[in-house]
Amino acid sequence: MAIKCSFYINRNMQSFKEYLTEVKGKKLFIDVWHGTKKPFDLPFKETLQGKKGVGNDEGFAGKGFYFYAQEKYVKYAAPAGGVKRKFKIELKNAYPLDEDDVFSKDTDLPYVKYRDQETLRLLQEGYDGSYRTIGGKIEEVCVFSYKKKGFDGNKKIKLIKGEEWEKI
């Protein structure tokens, strides 16, 4: 059974607090990095995930938009010559994949179909994203997005004033 992110953070992962920039009620605003081939304007495009030829994987933390909590890891998300940008994301209840990686289970379904099914189940259970840690610190964060089912992850992504795309 997964534990709600806010409880998990407060009790077992004190280092996560360094990534929180603001707390308003139950909303968590977290500064994160996104890496890609070339700059683009918001909104993020859900259709690119897992699409051949664009350099994205199939989404091993769910269907959605991917970010790194630590700038040093963003280089793994973009090819040589790529760009990075800092964003602020809002998560109310992120699923801790370190406890139960639901996206790495054995299945007879094609992976993308299985990923979509599990993402939808987690969304229906009240989760709005997922995360993984390395050495007790948040590494990767996925903001779930499943527009066909009424969940738009773009609503949880904010630009940070003064931040622009920069070369990696």
Side-chain angles (χ1 to χ4, degrees):
M1 180 176 146
I3 299 170
K4 287 192 174 187
C5 184
S6 56
F7 176 81
Y8 185 77
I9 291 167
N10 294 336
R11 202 136 172 253
N12 298 323
M13 226 165 110
Q14 299 301 323
S15 62
F16 188 76
K17 288 182 180 178
E18 71 190 62
Y19 301 109
L20 300 182
T21 57
E22 194 177 339
V23 177
K24 292 181 179 178
K26 294 182 179 180
K27 295 180 182 177
L28 302 177
F29 292 88
I30 307 162
D31 286 350
V32 292
W33 292 88
H34 181 77
T36 187
K37 287 182 179 180
K38 59 184 180 179
F40 64 88
D41 293 324
L42 292 181
F44 279 79
K45 293 178 178 52
E46 187 177 289
T47 56
L48 296 178
Q49 190 175 48
K51 188 175 180 180
K52 291 185 182 207
V54 296
N56 295 342
D57 63 29
E58 295 177 327
F60 298 110
K63 181 178 178 71
F65 310 123
Y66 284 72
F67 301 91
Y68 288 92
Q70 298 179 57
E71 183 180 5
K72 66 183 179 181
Y73 293 125
V74 77
K75 64 185 174 189
Y76 301 116
V83 294
K84 63 183 176 181
R85 187 172 186 169
K86 194 173 189 179
F87 291 91
K88 189 176 296 262
I89 59 172
E90 171 196 330
L91 292 178
K92 293 181 183 178
N93 189 24
Y95 189 86
L97 292 170
D98 295 339
E99 291 181 15
D100 180 23
D101 192 344
V102 297
F103 298 106
S104 293
K105 306 283 185 194
D106 287 333
T107 177
D108 291 333
L109 293 174
Y111 182 77
V112 172
K113 186 172 184 173
Y114 174 75
R115 178 211 60 205
D116 291 357
Q117 175 183 297
E118 285 301 299
T119 302
L120 184 57
R121 180 182 65 80
L122 289 172
L123 281 163
Q124 290 169 340
E125 289 179 11
Y127 294 98
D128 53 1
S130 64
Y131 66 93
R132 296 181 201 286
T133 63
I134 290 181
K137 293 185 179 184
I138 296 294
E139 175 220 1
E140 181 180 50
V141 179
C142 176
V143 175
F144 291 157
S145 191
Y146 206 139
K147 290 181 186 175
K148 288 181 181 178
K149 301 294 183 178
F151 300 97
D152 184 359
N154 278 295
K155 294 177 181 176
K156 299 189 169 285
I157 303 167
K158 311 292 181 220
L159 293 173
I160 298 175
K161 189 176 181 178
E163 290 290 337
E164 300 291 334
W165 291 103
E166 56 187 83
K167 290 200 181 258
I168 295 179

